[in-house]
Amino acid sequence: MPMLMVVTEAVPPRLRGRMAVWLLEVRAGVYVGDVSRKVREMIWQQIEALAEDGNVVMAWPANNDSGFDFQTYGKNRRMPIDEDGLRLVKFVPDLPLS
């Protein structure tokens, strides 16, 4: 099973509790574990349902040029972009967070 990493910011305690059921919280809001694709997708559904105004990034190994893939939830100044088929992160310094 591939390793999964999830980083959360400003999410409700009930989501943090749910994450701790499936993954190990190695730092506040940082979760890691080995899960199947099906479990990863179920975890993402929980994130979408419970994260409210927080933000989350989930990353996992993938068979592509960078060796991993990721998805994000919520507002953050680091926005994923696709550049010639490669997923990159663009920093937007003045994104309104409200």
Side-chain angles (χ1 to χ4, degrees), residues 2-32:
M3 180 166 219
L4 176 69
M5 181 190 68
V6 179
V7 179
T8 64
E9 285 184 323
V11 297
R14 68 177 180 260
L15 177 57
R16 293 186 65 186
R18 284 274 171 95
M19 298 294 294
V21 169
W22 302 296
L23 304 168
L24 178 63
E25 188 173 15
V26 295
R27 289 279 191 266
V30 179
Y31 303 86
V32 295

Side-chain angles (χ1 to χ4, degrees), residues 25-55:
E25 188 173 15
V26 295
R27 289 279 191 266
V30 179
Y31 303 86
V32 295
D34 287 327
V35 298
S36 67
R37 179 180 179 175
K38 184 175 181 177
V39 172
R40 181 183 80 221
E41 291 170 352
M42 184 270 308
I43 291 171
W44 190 253
Q45 289 175 347
Q46 294 293 307
I47 289 167
E48 289 179 323
L50 300 173
E52 296 178 2
D53 293 331
N55 68 76

